[in-house]
Amino acid sequence: MVWIKKLDEVEKYKESLKDKPTMKAIQRYNGVAFDALDYNSLDKDAQIYIDENVILFSNLFGPLLAKDKIPEYKYKQGAKLPDISVEKFYMDNFTKSLDEFVEDEVIDLRAGFYEKFYKVKKANTLTFKFIKEGKVVSHWAKFYRGKLLQEIAKNKISNLSEFMAMPLPNLRLNEIQEKKI
């Protein structure tokens, strides 16, 4: 049996998604990473950079460009659908398009959960592990990803060399590991 604490919360999700108002995905989502990014405070050029270059992985819609318009919805990370493997569905249906979109180099700021949705195969990929006081940061890694994207957008980074030369306020590179795909 499922108990719903606030029945009025359910009411706003009863209408069809196709009839709901939409907004840019990058503005629709909230949380620690999106608060740290603070998209609305960025100048127009940085916003355009994000709109054109950032792919978000939606639990419901799959991969989206930051500028794609989506309605408000509730579908939590890791939620299961009967008889459908969401990860397999996304891999089967979006891999080809993502492979075509991905250039030679990728700065991958995804949480580990979304690595199941798509594996970068053809690009040099930069991923991150955030460490504080010798320990891997989990919850606050979202904050650091948002801040990192903010700096990438402000500097309009177009390749890994530019990223490596970019100053990172309050962050320090400790180690680079090269791994084969």
Side-chain angles (χ1 to χ4, degrees):
M1 178 174 280
V2 176
W3 293 96
I4 299 173
K5 291 181 181 179
K6 296 180 181 178
L7 197 53
D8 57 324
E9 276 294 306
V10 175
E11 290 299 317
K12 67 181 176 184
Y13 298 109
K14 282 176 54 176
E15 69 182 87
S16 173
L17 289 179
K18 68 180 177 56
D19 299 328
K20 295 184 105 178
T22 61
M23 65 191 313
K24 285 182 187 180
I26 195 72
Q27 293 173 305
R28 169 69 63 204
Y29 295 118
N30 55 36
V32 175
F34 296 96
D35 291 345
L37 169 61
D38 198 8
Y39 175 88
N40 291 328
S41 75
L42 297 172
D43 68 36
K44 197 67 168 163
D45 287 341
Q47 289 181 355
I48 290 168
Y49 176 92
I50 288 173
D51 291 347
E52 299 295 328
N53 294 288
V54 172
I55 298 173
L56 302 171
F57 282 74
S58 161
N59 296 321
L60 184 61
F61 298 109
L64 302 164
L65 279 173
K67 68 180 177 181
D68 288 342
K69 301 220 176 193
I70 60 170
E72 181 180 6
Y73 71 94
K74 252 324 181 216
Y75 185 64
K76 292 190 178 203
Q77 184 181 56
K80 302 288 181 201
L81 292 173
D83 304 321
I84 295 175
S85 165
V86 176
E87 294 89 354
K88 183 176 176 356
F89 178 83
Y90 291 154
M91 286 286 253
D92 292 348
N93 291 282
F94 296 116
T95 295
K96 184 177 182 226
S97 295
L98 285 169
D99 284 345
E100 290 169 4
F101 181 83
V102 168
E103 301 279 331
D104 296 335
E105 298 178 324
V106 172
I107 298 174
D108 188 349
L109 297 173
R110 292 179 294 167
F113 177 82
Y114 293 103
E115 291 173 9
K116 298 181 279 186
F117 286 55
Y118 175 69
K119 304 272 187 236
V120 180
K121 295 181 287 271
K122 70 174 197 174
N124 293 325
T125 305
L126 192 58
T127 60
F128 301 86
K129 187 183 295 185
F130 298 99
I131 299 171
K132 186 173 185 174
E133 298 173 3
K135 295 182 181 175
V136 174
V137 175
S138 57
H139 176 73
W140 282 101
K142 297 173 185 178
F143 175 84
Y144 295 129
R145 285 187 198 103
K147 284 298 185 191
L148 204 49
L149 179 54
Q150 186 183 66
E151 292 303 315
I152 290 167
K154 285 178 181 177
N155 291 280
K156 294 166 202 64
I157 299 299
S158 63
N159 59 56
L160 298 182
S161 296
E162 288 178 7
F163 176 82
M164 296 305 287
M166 179 181 73
L168 293 171
N170 302 314
L171 291 176
R172 183 181 73 227
L173 178 64
N174 280 352
E175 178 181 359
I176 298 175
Q177 293 180 355
E178 190 172 333
K179 296 181 180 179
K180 301 291 181 197
I181 295 176

